Every structure is written in structure tokens, then in C-alpha cells.
Amino acid sequence: MAHREVESFERLVLPHLDDAYALACHLLRDEHDAQDVVQEAVLRALRYFDGFRDGDARAWLLAIVRNCCYTWQRRYRTDGLSVSYADAETSSQLRGTDTDAGAIRSSDSAVIDRAVASLPPEFREVIVLRELQELSYREISQITGVPMGTVMSRLARARKRLASSLGLLIEEAS
């Protein structure tokens, strides 16, 4: 790969690593697995960068991350013994907070993380891409490879399930 292509890759793709990691965390629900998958996805992106044609580098990278996540899940089914991303993040947040407000924020975040994690993968990915990554329906359609109408339908169904799930989790916490 030419030096010029590497510079272009670094400029266009690498700024989106945080988004790639966030998506992988939500899809895999394990921060260590997400790190491995993002590393693999970036290597794939670099290897095939010459096929990238002045599109949306963020959407292109997230599509690769998504595909790597699903490939990883098929290859390495989790055994339930790993610590989920939400649990690991919540425990680290709780250790770092001394105030009641911080604990409440952590608790609220944990409830939302559990609700999102309970969604089926096709709903979880559209919620994460739309609400956390703030991508457009068109970008989500490109990433997931489904028509924009399907994206909108999945998003509506995901929001409905999420609202229902959050209602149940809030009742249980009370």
C-alpha cells in the first residue's frame, strides 16, 4: 500500500474508531471481544481501502465492524461466563463516583444498557446506530444492507420494545 493511501486511510477512517468500538460493544456486549473485533475490522478496512470510493468512511467502517461482529458471534458463541460491556462499564463508573447524583446516573445508565442489550440483534443495531451513533436512515441502510423502509420499521419496533422493557425494569427497581 502506498504511503499516500495510508495517509488517506488515517485521515478518513481512523477518526471513526470510537464509533466502531461503541457499535462493537453494543453488538457483542463484551468490551474485550469488541476490541478484538474492531482491530480485525480496521485491518480488513486497511486491506480493502483501495476499493473504497469517496463515500461515507464512517458508514463504510461501521458496516465492516458490523459484519465482523456477526462473523465473530458465529465463530465464538459466548458461554455466559464473560462480563458484559454494560456490567463492566457500570462497575467502573460506580467506583469512580462519590456522589449520589453520580450513582443515580450510573444506575439509570445501567437500566438503559440492560434494556438495549435485551433487544434482538437486528433491533439493537438500529437503535445503537440511530440513537447513539446519530446516523441517518440512509446510512443505517447502507451499513446493515437492508432497505430504508426496513430500517424505519425495525427502529419503530425497537423503540416500542425498548419503551416496554424500560417500563418493566423501572417497575422492578422501584
Side-chain angles (χ1 to χ4, degrees):
M1 178 174 268
H3 178 68
R4 194 173 191 176
E5 281 183 318
V6 172
E7 285 180 347
S8 183
F9 179 83
E10 289 173 349
R11 184 176 39 81
L12 294 172
V13 177
L14 293 186
H16 306 295
L17 285 179
D18 287 343
D19 293 337
Y21 177 70
L23 176 61
C25 281
H26 282 283
L27 293 180
L28 298 174
R29 299 184 304 211
D30 183 277
E31 63 184 19
H32 301 291
D33 295 341
Q35 290 169 356
D36 292 344
V37 167
V38 169
Q39 182 177 1
E40 180 181 335
V42 170
L43 289 173
R44 284 185 189 183
L46 181 60
R47 187 174 326 135
Y48 297 107
F49 188 65
D50 59 343
F52 176 70
R53 301 284 180 248
D54 294 331
D56 182 349
R58 180 181 184 209
W60 181 71
L61 177 62
L62 292 179
I64 295 170
V65 169
R66 175 189 180 267
N67 292 337
C68 286
C69 285
Y70 290 130
T71 299
W72 189 94
Q73 284 178 324
R74 281 190 301 275
R75 196 176 307 146
Y76 308 104
R77 296 279 178 193
T78 58
D79 60 0
L81 298 177
S82 60
V83 177
S84 78
Y85 166 69
D87 293 342
E89 184 175 277
T90 301
S91 65
S92 67
Q93 286 174 347
L94 286 174
R95 282 192 304 269
T97 56
D98 293 331
T99 65
D100 289 340
I104 291 170
R105 275 194 305 278
S106 293
S107 174
D108 290 347
S109 177
V111 168
I112 293 169
D113 285 344
R114 277 197 307 276
V116 170
S118 73
L119 293 172
E122 66 273 11
F123 293 158
R124 187 170 57 242
E125 74 182 0
V126 294
I127 282 289
V128 169
L129 292 170
R130 179 69 180 157
E131 304 302 338
L132 300 178
Q133 303 291 340
E134 299 177 348
L135 295 174
S136 69
Y137 297 132
R138 182 177 321 278
E139 291 169 318
I140 296 169
S141 174
Q142 290 171 342
I143 291 168
T144 59
V146 299
M148 204 167 2
T150 303
V151 168
M152 292 188 293
S153 172
R154 285 182 182 176
L155 190 55
R157 291 170 60 199
R159 286 175 175 156
K160 186 175 181 178
R161 283 188 180 203
L162 194 55
S164 175
S165 180
L166 284 171
L168 292 174
L169 290 172
I170 291 171
E171 287 177 18
E172 289 174 10
S174 302

